[in-house]
Amino acid sequence: MDGTPTPLRADETRAHDLVGVGFGPSNLALAVALRDAGSPLSARFLEQRDRFVWHGNMLLDGSRMQISFLKDLVSLRDPTSRYSFLSYLHRRGRLQDFINLRTFYPSRREFNDYLGWVAADFADVCGYGVTVTAVEPVRGAGGGLSQVRVHARDAAGRDRSLLARNVVIGAGATPQVPEPFQSLVRSHPVPDGPQDGPLVIHSNGYLAAADALARAGRVAVIGLGQSAAELFLDLHGRGVAVDVIARGPAMRPADSSPFANKVFDADYTGYLYGLPADERAALLRAFHNTNYAVVDPDLIDAIYAIFYQQKVAGAERHAMLTRREVVTATARPDGDGVTLALANLDDGSREERRYDAVLLATGYRRRIHEALLQPMEPWLTGGEVGRDYRLPTVPGCSVGLYLQGCCEATHGLSDSLLSILPIRAQEIATALTAAVPADAQGDTIRMLTSAQR
Ligand SMILES: Cc1cc2nc3c(=O)[nH]c(=O)nc-3n(C[C@H](O)[C@H](O)[C@H](O)COP(=O)(O)OP(=O)(O)OC[C@H]3O[C@@H](n4cnc5c(N)ncnc54)[C@H](O)[C@@H]3O)c2cc1C
Ligand SMILES: NC(=O)c1ccc[n+]([C@@H]2O[C@H](COP(=O)([O-])OP(=O)(O)OC[C@H]3O[C@@H](n4cnc5c(N)ncnc54)[C@H](OP(=O)(O)O)[C@@H]3O)[C@@H](O)[C@H]2O)c1
């Protein structure tokens, strides 16, 4: 509908007002906010995947959103935006059918389709298949810093770079891999991991490996959060025997009750940010069970029913091995799976169990920005990220470095989620517009729609 993709040249020499790292929901929401505001800023987003997809390896049959569709990319900021979920349904000719579903929680597949529908309208400002590798300072004549060079690698392995006055990192997360599995976990999606050997996969790579996993006789799923629950059900549906192995005592429900849910409200961000660090940390701990290591109650019921039915049938295929820690994971010498040594956290006893494959539903780390910004260290004060998501820089540096999705400690539990994307995007868009002098804005790609151009 709008512009066609513009290829990334080897060395773009004119500075963009903004380069966005990653084009998931966070930076997509920012692109939408800039366009909705008719912003004159020139912007370019770089995305390592070859097309838009939202956690594609977890788009499982029957998996649902964990947030109301009203928390789409725009509605909290402007319910009349043409990029709302309702607008998407209308354009797809499904609005009435969706209403008849009587739900606030669409399938993850449908929401992925919605996000992809919006992203298609921004193909002219996103370079796909481009992995950002570093953000480097470019000293001006007077020794100050008003630009950075964003280094990247395209799908063919060629180096590319862009100049930017501001960088917004919205690069998501990397898999958290427990120590015993670090030398075993397969390459996808962990860079530099082994390509062969036993099937040890993080949940982030699940669907790509699902057929191979379906041929496995017995699979261990490590973890007790939403991903573990969804993988258990999916594998059960494929006829695979599953042992769920976790340190916790039981599969527990996510607290999504209305008062607790207020920690995901937009105005909670400012409240939390204003508190001393120890009080913030205490609140994050208190509300941990709204998001982490917890499971949608409907799924818990479904899983419990499966365990009960296998008792009725007298054939206990699956096992729930709680209060167990994986001490070692060893590839079997015959190439036939993995042996896990488990410590029982209640009585200290040890046991060994053999699996054909292991799935790590062990969550994520959000530290991509640290590696990308390492060359910028001399220009960073090391202080806390600002309320406007901008990292504080030393005098002489006018480059804005903004973070999306890795500010949970300062901005709250909504930071890694979709909860307040439109508001955060607007706050960053406002900060960017204020930071770039009007006479320097928009000398390359603009965020205006083709109709406006
Ligand atoms: C399976 C799953 C389901 C979820 N469901 C929900 C839900 O229902 N509701 C909710 O609120 N939250 C949910 N979440 C949380 C999730 O973090 C957010 O939904 C959302 O994806 C955050 O968007 P993001 O753009 O910050 O990160 P991401 O969606 O992770 O996007 C980051 C993008 O940056 C790209 N990237 C990374 N590094 C680079 C690089 N060096 N160069 C270029 N590109 C790069 C990645 O390829 C990716 O496309 C879910 C998470 C998972 C794992
Ligand atoms: N349908 C959906 O919308 C959907 C689907 C999947 C995920 N998600 C979202 O994605 C986010 C992440 O969920 P997640 O389930 O992937 O991760 P998570 O909630 O962080 O849970 C990780 C699990 O792995 C365990 N774990 C972590 N490190 C471990 C280690 N070293 N050894 C053993 N166990 C370890 C944790 O146990 P401990 O408590 O013992 O540390 C926990 O049970 C959440 O926001 C979730 O809502 C959404």
Side-chain angles (χ1 to χ4, degrees), residues 190-206:
V190 181
D192 308 323
Q195 296 286 353
D196 47 16
L199 261 184
V200 178
I201 311 260
H202 186 269
S203 58
N204 200 24
Y206 174 68

Side-chain angles (χ1 to χ4, degrees), residues 404-424:
Q404 298 213 70
C406 42
C407 305
E408 187 178 271
T410 46
H411 290 69
L413 285 153
S414 58
D415 195 68
S416 71
L417 303 174
L418 305 174
S419 318
I420 56 157
L421 284 194
I423 305 294
R424 184 173 70 194

Side-chain angles (χ1 to χ4, degrees), residues 72-122:
D72 59 18
L73 293 169
V74 293
S75 292
L76 279 179
R77 171 175 59 75
D78 176 10
T80 67
S81 166
R82 67 196 172 104
Y83 294 111
S84 70
F85 186 74
L86 288 179
S87 173
Y88 153 82
L89 287 175
H90 177 65
R91 294 291 179 89
R92 285 280 201 251
R94 286 202 306 269
L95 184 52
Q96 301 220 42
D97 300 312
F98 184 83
I99 292 168
N100 290 339
L101 266 183
R102 294 183 300 166
T103 185
F104 279 104
Y105 306 98
S107 70
R108 293 197 59 251
R109 282 206 182 127
E110 185 171 31
F111 208 74
N112 175 58
D113 191 58
Y114 154 68
L115 293 169
W117 172 81
V118 178
D121 223 14
F122 291 82

Side-chain angles (χ1 to χ4, degrees), residues 23-31 52-55 73 111 115 170 404 417-418 421 424-425:
F23 206 50
S26 294
N27 270 339
L28 179 56
L30 176 60
F52 183 91
V53 63
W54 179 54
H55 301 298
L73 293 169
F111 208 74
L115 293 169
Q404 298 213 70
L417 303 174
L418 305 174
L421 284 194
R424 184 173 70 194

Side-chain angles (χ1 to χ4, degrees), residues 128-177:
Y128 286 98
V130 182
T131 303
V132 174
T133 51
V135 178
E136 262 183 18
V138 179
R139 269 178 199 276
L145 199 72
S146 58
Q147 295 183 0
V148 288
R149 188 169 284 284
V150 178
H151 289 275
R153 209 173 31 244
D154 71 12
R158 290 174 301 218
D159 290 334
R160 295 286 184 253
S161 76
L162 285 81
L163 289 173
R165 298 189 184 94
N166 296 280
V167 175
V168 182
I169 300 183
T174 48
Q176 175 158 275
V177 177

